[in-house]
């Protein structure tokens, strides 16, 4: 091949954007008796069937310890679907067809006999593609990921040498609890398969509006030109939740907001908002840019962490008129716990595009509203003309990407109030997903499962992404270690977080813009 041909081929591969075909497959769910299977995975697969997105044929095997028959499992799942399907009523025809593909494999994850049984089930399938195009969904404790991979490999069900990467492992967070454990887990997995066979889920990446961040940024000339330090004053990313920690307090005591939300969801959203354009939409090119962005986050010394990152913990209060107990009074929480249920931080990205632009990130439980949004605040216009008549500060223009709920994009700018006076006030232009496209919001798991089935890794987290995110989070957590929360770090349930978070902004002469309940 001559150089010109090679160049053509390279260019063509960069431009190739067609979705991979979804081939006949078998999905094996380990831990199939658990919550995730009945609440998320099966409803998502059922919806893919409903939308005719699944190939013909396919099979779904539930691997779990409890004794039950195929029919028993099907019945259980049908009942759960009644509660958890996003569309009701369940379409019985589709369900009946779908249910025929569900097979139960009663077995113990730690016992090699279970994998022999699994192999026999696979070999009983008539179509050879059902035996080779395999998706292993590890809905188990993370401590079992390595063990399952080792057993699969020993039973010749996971092939490291297979360069078609037909067998894949899908795993869910937490991917370790710090950098060292994440590295250990990753090393454990790549003993039995290639990194390319590992699909790490962050369900935020399955959200339609999160995916739209890249499409929006890289397809709109007007905003693309403004997406840098010249035009942007700062960026705020908020993921707020009305829920407290509830029944998950045991887990949360170990995790805190930093591990539960920042290490994954918040840093993922940040990387999509701030990354450079990839050379193509190929998975590795997109993931390369995300990692590069995470690596450009300015490291902080312990003293800088204490200055730039605040913690918060809720005490008793009310959310929507409903009384909420203090975090320290939740079951399974230590009465003197210093675990953060809220965190806010100021980060800088050390690259040319973002030089000097602060990124403020926050997330918390028991806040007044459940909402996720990115607010890009632009630099103000020189206020020469209006300063004498109005407030000396013009309202800054902003662009808000609402990720959930009321998904949409809002541009805020100043407009003249009708009448003879020269008075301004902020007005908004709104794009709403619902009004434009109808209220069709697939669950994140539907998209993620379909991509994993098709073998497209774009929406999954690569090993170096996970590890880089942990190194950021570890530096913060280490600086906090052994330090008690101060009075300014407590907040009443139902408020927008502790005073310390306000201080963080006020020091820079800025303020948080809280997500608004309705279409604001
Ligand atoms: C999970 C966290 O990953 O994300 C939960 O463990 C959190 O604590 C949830 O509630 C938030 O996801 P969503 O989709 O409700 O914004």
């Amino acid at each position: 091949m001559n150089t010109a041909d090679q160049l053509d081929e390279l260019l063509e591969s960069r431009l190739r954007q067609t979705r991979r075909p979804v081939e006949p497959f078998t999905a094996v769910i380990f831990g199939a008796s658990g919550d995730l299977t009945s609440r998320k995975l099966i409803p998502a697969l059922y919806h893919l069937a409903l939308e005719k997105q699944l190939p013909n044929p396919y099979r779904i095997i539930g691997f779990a310890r409890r004794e039950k028959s195929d029919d028993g499992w099907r019945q259980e799942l049908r009942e759960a679907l009644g509660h958890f399907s996003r569309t009701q009523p369940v379409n019985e025809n589709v369900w009946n067809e779908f249910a025929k593909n569900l097979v139960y494999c009663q077995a113990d994850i730690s016992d090699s006999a279970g994998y022999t049984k699994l192999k026999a089930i696979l070999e009983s399938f008539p179509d050879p593609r059902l035996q080779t195009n395999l998706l292993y969904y590890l809905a188990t404790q993370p401590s079992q990921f390595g063990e399952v991979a080792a057993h699969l490999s020993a039973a010749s069900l996971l092939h490291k040498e297979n360069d078609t990467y037909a067998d894949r492992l899908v795993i869910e967070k937490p991917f370790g609890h710090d950098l060292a454990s994440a590295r250990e887990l990753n090393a454990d997995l790549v003993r039995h398969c290639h990194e390319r066979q590992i699909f790490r889920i962050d369900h935020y990446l399955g959200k339609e509006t999160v995916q739209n961040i890249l499409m929006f940024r890289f397809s709109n000339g007007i905003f693309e030109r403004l997406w840098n330090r010249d035009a942007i004053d700062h960026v705020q990313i908020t993921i707020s939740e009305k829920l407290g920690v509830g029944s998950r307090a045991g887990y949360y005591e170990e995790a805190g907001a930093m591990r539960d939300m920042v290490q994954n969801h918040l840093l993922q959203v940040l990387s999509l908002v701030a990354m450079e354009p990839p050379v193509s939409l190929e998975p590795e090119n997109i993931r390369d840019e995300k990692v590069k962005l995470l690596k450009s986050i300015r490291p902080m010394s312990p003293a800088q962490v204490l200055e730039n990152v605040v913690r918060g913990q809720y005490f008793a209060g009310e959310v929507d008129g409903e009384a909420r107990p203090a975090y320290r009074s939740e079951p399974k929480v230590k009465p003197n716990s210093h675990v953060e249920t809220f965190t806010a931080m100021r980060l800088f990205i050390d690259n040319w595009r973002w030089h000097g632009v602060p990124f403020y990130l926050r997330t918390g439980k028991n806040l007044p509203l459940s909402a996720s949004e990115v607010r890009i605040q632009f630099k103000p216009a020189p206020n020469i003309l209006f300063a004498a008549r109005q407030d000396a500060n013009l309202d800054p223009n902003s662009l808000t990407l609402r990720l959930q709920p009321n998904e949409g994009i809002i541009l805020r700018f100043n407009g003249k109030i009708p009448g003879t006076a020269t008075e301004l006030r902020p007005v908004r232009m709104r794009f709403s997903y619902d009004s434009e496209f109808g209220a069709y919001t697939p669950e994140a798991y539907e998209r993620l499962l379909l991509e994993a089935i098709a073998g497209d890794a774009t929406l999954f987290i690569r090993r170096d992404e996970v590890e880089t995110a942990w190194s950021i989070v570890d530096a913060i957590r280490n600086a906090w270690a052994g330090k008690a929360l101060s009075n300014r770090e407590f907040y009443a349930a139902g408020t927008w977080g502790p005073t310390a978070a306000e201080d963080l902004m006020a020091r820079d002469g800025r303020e948080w813009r809280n997500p608004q309940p309705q279409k604001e």
Side-chain angles (χ1 to χ4, degrees):
M1 202 188 290
N2 66 31
T3 322
D5 287 345
Q6 279 171 343
L7 274 178
D8 278 354
E9 192 172 286
L10 181 67
L11 197 61
E12 202 181 298
S13 88
R14 285 186 179 178
L15 296 175
R16 210 180 298 133
Q17 286 174 24
T18 47
R19 180 195 228 135
R20 291 183 196 212
V22 181
E23 303 287 350
F25 71 96
T26 297
V28 184
I29 305 176
F30 290 90
S33 297
D35 238 25
L36 185 70
T37 307
S38 48
R39 280 174 181 266
K40 297 286 183 190
L41 304 181
I42 295 296
L45 289 161
Y46 156 78
H47 273 100
L48 291 175
L50 188 70
E51 286 155 11
K52 302 193 172 32
Q53 305 234 39
L54 293 181
N56 186 19
Y58 67 90
R59 293 285 186 280
I60 298 158
I61 302 179
F63 188 112
R65 205 166 35 188
R66 284 186 213 155
E67 197 67 61
K68 60 186 102 155
S69 62
D70 289 347
D71 274 338
W73 191 46
R74 290 171 188 152
Q75 245 164 31
E76 224 175 83
L77 294 176
R78 171 63 190 82
E79 210 170 291
L81 207 56
H83 301 289
F84 303 121
S85 167
R86 70 176 165 82
T87 55
Q88 297 287 353
V90 171
N91 180 321
E92 294 303 337
N93 291 336
V94 172
W95 166 257
N96 290 336
E97 279 310 304
F98 176 77
K100 287 183 194 155
N101 299 298
L102 299 172
V103 182
Y104 189 71
C105 173
Q106 190 277 322
D108 188 334
I109 273 180
S110 315
D111 183 355
S112 56
Y115 300 80
T116 314
K117 193 164 172 186
L118 174 62
K119 199 167 187 187
I121 296 178
L122 288 167
E123 282 168 0
S124 73
F125 294 155
D127 189 314
R129 292 168 300 177
L130 296 174
Q131 302 173 19
T132 51
N133 192 15
L134 299 168
L135 188 84
Y136 301 114
Y137 200 110
L138 275 49
T140 64
Q141 294 297 329
S143 56
Q144 294 172 311
F145 291 166
E147 191 184 357
V148 176
H151 276 297
L152 285 171
S153 165
S156 297
L157 289 169
L158 184 63
H159 303 96
K160 189 166 181 173
E161 314 76 279
N162 184 349
D163 54 339
T164 60
Y165 305 110
D167 16 72
R168 276 145 278 149
L169 289 179
V170 182
I171 59 176
E172 287 254 2
K173 80 170 180 90
F175 312 119
H177 53 270
D178 57 11
L179 177 58
S181 54
R183 279 194 177 141
E184 214 173 290
L185 170 65
N186 288 333
D188 215 13
L189 291 175
V190 297
R191 258 196 282 283
H192 309 293
C193 60
H194 287 284
E195 167 61 23
R196 282 217 247 158
Q197 290 166 274
I198 306 173
F199 286 60
R200 296 180 192 79
I201 285 201
D202 181 319
H203 80 277
Y204 261 68
L205 296 185
K207 292 181 193 272
E208 200 56 47
T209 37
V210 172
Q211 290 163 33
N212 191 38
I213 297 175
L214 286 192
M215 306 299 141
F216 175 80
R217 283 190 55 200
F218 300 129
S219 67
N220 292 301
I222 39 174
F223 296 113
E224 190 270 328
R225 283 171 182 72
L226 299 178
W227 218 261
N228 57 51
R229 66 178 187 278
D230 295 334
I232 294 177
D233 177 73
H234 74 276
V235 177
Q236 297 185 16
I237 305 179
T238 301
I239 301 185
S240 62
E241 293 185 281
K242 276 210 276 204
L243 288 177
V245 295
S247 60
R248 296 168 72 227
Y251 149 80
Y252 204 81
E253 272 283 274
E254 295 300 316
M258 196 44 85
R259 283 176 168 150
D260 186 46
M261 296 294 289
V262 178
Q263 193 273 343
N264 36 72
H265 312 323
L266 258 176
L267 288 179
Q268 281 298 318
V269 173
L270 170 68
S271 61
L272 295 175
V273 169
M275 69 184 242
E276 293 300 312
V279 293
S280 83
L281 293 179
E282 287 292 314
E284 295 321 321
N285 292 330
I286 294 182
R287 301 199 296 180
D288 286 347
E289 292 305 332
K290 287 169 65 195
V291 175
K292 204 167 98 194
L293 188 280
L294 291 176
K295 287 191 172 158
S296 320
I297 294 177
R298 187 181 301 165
M300 289 186 267
S301 67
Q304 287 166 332
V305 167
L306 299 181
E307 209 174 293
N308 288 288
V309 190
V310 305
R311 292 177 286 176
Q313 191 189 86
Y314 59 83
F315 56 85
E318 268 187 15
V319 177
D320 283 349
E322 184 193 294
R324 295 286 169 91
Y327 177 68
R328 289 176 173 182
S329 314
E330 304 265 17
K332 296 197 186 148
V333 172
K334 292 186 215 70
N336 60 348
S337 170
H338 287 280
V339 166
E340 76 289 355
T341 59
F342 175 101
T343 182
M345 68 201 74
R346 182 177 76 151
L347 300 177
F348 284 96
I349 294 169
D350 278 335
N351 65 18
W352 285 43
R353 180 188 292 272
W354 297 117
H355 181 73
V357 180
F359 283 73
Y360 300 94
L361 276 53
R362 64 178 168 164
T363 183
K365 302 270 186 206
N366 262 332
L367 300 187
L369 202 71
S370 289
S372 303
E373 65 179 44
V374 178
R375 188 182 180 103
I376 313 288
Q377 190 144 316
F378 295 99
K379 290 188 169 160
N383 188 9
I384 298 164
L385 301 178
F386 304 102
R389 301 190 185 199
Q390 305 251 143
D391 188 341
N393 298 317
L394 282 174
D395 191 77
N397 301 156
S398 65
L399 181 81
T400 300
L401 311 180
R402 286 202 61 135
L403 308 179
Q404 63 183 27
N406 304 329
E407 290 84 352
I409 297 176
I410 303 152
L411 183 64
R412 175 172 161 133
F413 51 93
N414 292 304
K416 181 182 172 302
I417 301 176
T420 46
T422 312
E423 266 189 84
L424 298 168
R425 82 160 168 76
V427 293
R428 298 170 187 83
M429 264 165 64
R430 291 197 179 88
F431 150 68
S432 137
Y433 271 80
D434 269 17
S435 22
E436 187 74 23
F437 299 112
Y440 174 74
T441 319
E443 273 272 329
Y445 278 91
E446 293 170 34
R447 177 72 191 267
L448 292 173
L449 280 168
L450 194 63
E451 298 294 326
I453 292 168
D456 186 322
T458 313
L459 300 180
F460 299 85
I461 318 290
R462 207 167 62 186
R463 176 181 187 165
D464 47 356
E465 268 180 283
V466 173
E467 294 182 1
T468 312
W470 273 123
S471 66
I472 297 165
V473 161
D474 279 3
I476 298 175
R477 297 191 79 257
N478 291 342
W480 286 346
K483 295 209 169 44
L485 291 166
S486 71
N487 284 344
R488 296 180 80 73
E489 290 176 312
F490 285 93
Y491 62 101
T495 63
W496 278 104
T499 329
E502 304 302 324
D503 298 345
L504 180 74
M505 279 289 198
R507 273 205 317 262
D508 293 350
R510 301 190 172 101
E511 58 186 9
W512 292 106
R513 296 295 185 112
N514 297 327
Q516 299 297 312
Q518 276 312 307
K519 303 234 176 235
E520 282 292 317

